Amino acid sequence: MYKVTVFNCSLIEFPKIQNRAGNITPITNLKEVPFEIKRIFYIYDIPGGEDRGGHAHKKCHQILVAVSGSFEVELDDGMLKKTVLINRPYYGLHIPPGIWAKEKSFSSGAICLVLASEVYDEEDYIREYELFKSYKFQ
Amino acid sequence: MYKVTVFNCSLIEFPKIQNRAGNITPITNLKEVPFEIKRIFYIYDIPGGEDRGGHAHKKCHQILVAVSGSFEVELDDGMLKKTVLINRPYYGLHIPPGIWAKEKSFSSGAICLVLASEVYDEEDYIREYELFKSYKFQ
């Protein structure tokens, strides 16, 4: 596979439309995000300080947004690691396939919204770090 | 046009996958929602108690989710009105086109996530109530 590195993970600044009755951030397929959104999911009711176990994808691109609160994402391409803090609703972290990612240090009340380029497919997940390493360096 | 009424607006219960490190609600195109998501937007930093002005769409379907906090949606088909309280991240209110909708009584810290079946097109919006009435009863 194409050797994706942590430098291929980027923070996207989305538009923020300000208004008396709240701010709006719009995200359109192939405009603010580089793919068509086939699935979204959001994580909520997360106990403050909690971490979530890491995994990687073979094909699925993901964009992570802290629509409320904050959390950190530890990115790992099998060689290098990078940790990114996400703490604004108008920033999205683009994680291409081939990156081991782990969310940690959720603030109380944090909500993590994920936009995915693929529908759910268990075959697309790599859930063992050793398998990820051999997948990257095969 | 097909006479859509407030009874065509429905509350969808999404899956809620429970986990030690937070709950997840997944939403897949044409699975949990009756359309392909072409655009999403979310409204945040809304002052508590605030209302947002109403409008209708000619073509766009929308699903509203309170990913945090709560708010009410006043639905109006030109004849009947109905008010729905949205206060759980795993419920979505489906609003088909042809409905005048207005969000009100936002709780402090509320976040309104909207999934839309169309990209943004100002031509699709009806922003004057009198125009909406004549559009419905033409």
Side-chain angles (χ1 to χ4, degrees):
Chain A
M1 72 170 298
Y2 162 60
K3 293 287 182 263
V4 172
T5 74
V6 294
F7 302 110
N8 298 110
C9 300
S10 55
L11 216 49
I12 303 173
E13 184 171 352
F14 296 128
K16 176 180 162 184
I17 303 163
Q18 287 180 304
N19 186 293
R20 172 192 56 80
N23 297 322
I24 298 187
T25 288
I27 303 175
T28 306
N29 282 354
L30 303 171
K31 195 177 163 201
E32 285 89 9
V33 292
F35 53 78
E36 289 189 350
I37 301 167
K38 296 219 179 81
R39 174 174 58 120
I40 70 159
F41 56 91
Y42 39 91
I43 313 170
Y44 49 96
D45 295 340
I46 309 162
E50 199 58 78
D51 296 348
R52 295 185 68 90
H55 65 263
H57 287 275
K58 294 176 194 164
K59 221 179 112 189
C60 188
H61 288 255
Q62 295 197 323
I63 293 191
L64 274 60
V65 183
V67 284
S68 183
S70 66
F71 55 91
E72 288 176 356
V73 185
E74 194 183 279
L75 304 162
D76 179 343
D77 57 22
M79 290 281 279
L80 290 173
K81 286 189 184 192
K82 187 170 121 176
T83 298
V84 181
L85 171 70
I86 316 192
N87 61 353
R88 293 284 177 266
Y90 47 90
Y91 278 103
L93 177 65
H94 175 213
I95 307 177
I99 295 287
W100 185 266
K102 199 170 163 171
E103 293 89 51
K104 28 181 232 176
S105 302
F106 284 95
S107 71
S108 292
I111 295 172
C112 171
L113 170 66
V114 181
L115 314 178
S117 69
E118 307 297 329
V119 301
Y120 177 81
D121 175 9
E122 188 53 41
E123 288 294 299
D124 190 58
Y125 283 73
I126 307 173
R127 298 192 187 271
E128 296 288 334
Y129 190 73
E130 285 312 310
L131 286 179
F132 169 68
K133 290 279 264 191
S134 45
Y135 177 77
K136 288 293 284 191
F137 301 109
Q138 69 199 354
Chain B
M1 71 170 297
Y2 162 60
K3 292 290 180 265
V4 172
T5 74
V6 293
F7 302 110
N8 297 110
C9 300
S10 55
L11 216 50
I12 303 174
E13 185 170 352
F14 297 128
K16 176 180 162 183
I17 303 164
Q18 287 179 305
N19 187 292
R20 172 192 55 79
N23 297 321
I24 298 188
T25 288
I27 302 175
T28 307
N29 283 354
L30 302 172
K31 194 177 164 203
E32 285 88 7
V33 291
F35 53 78
E36 290 188 349
I37 301 167
K38 296 218 180 81
R39 174 175 59 120
I40 70 159
F41 57 91
Y42 39 92
I43 313 169
Y44 50 96
D45 295 340
I46 309 163
E50 198 59 77
D51 297 347
R52 294 185 69 90
H55 64 263
H57 287 276
K58 294 177 195 164
K59 222 178 111 188
C60 187
H61 287 254
Q62 294 197 323
I63 292 189
L64 275 60
V65 182
V67 285
S68 182
S70 66
F71 55 91
E72 289 176 356
V73 186
E74 193 183 279
L75 304 162
D76 180 343
D77 58 23
M79 290 279 280
L80 289 173
K81 285 189 183 190
K82 188 170 121 176
T83 298
V84 181
L85 170 70
I86 316 192
N87 60 353
R88 293 284 177 266
Y90 48 89
Y91 278 103
L93 176 66
H94 175 213
I95 307 177
I99 296 287
W100 185 266
K102 199 169 163 173
E103 293 89 50
K104 26 182 233 173
S105 302
F106 284 95
S107 72
S108 292
I111 294 172
C112 171
L113 170 66
V114 181
L115 315 177
S117 68
E118 308 297 329
V119 301
Y120 177 79
D121 175 9
E122 187 53 40
E123 288 293 300
D124 190 56
Y125 283 73
I126 307 172
R127 298 192 188 270
E128 296 287 335
Y129 191 73
E130 286 311 309
L131 286 179
F132 170 67
K133 290 278 264 191
S134 46
Y135 178 75
K136 289 293 280 191
F137 301 109
Q138 70 199 351

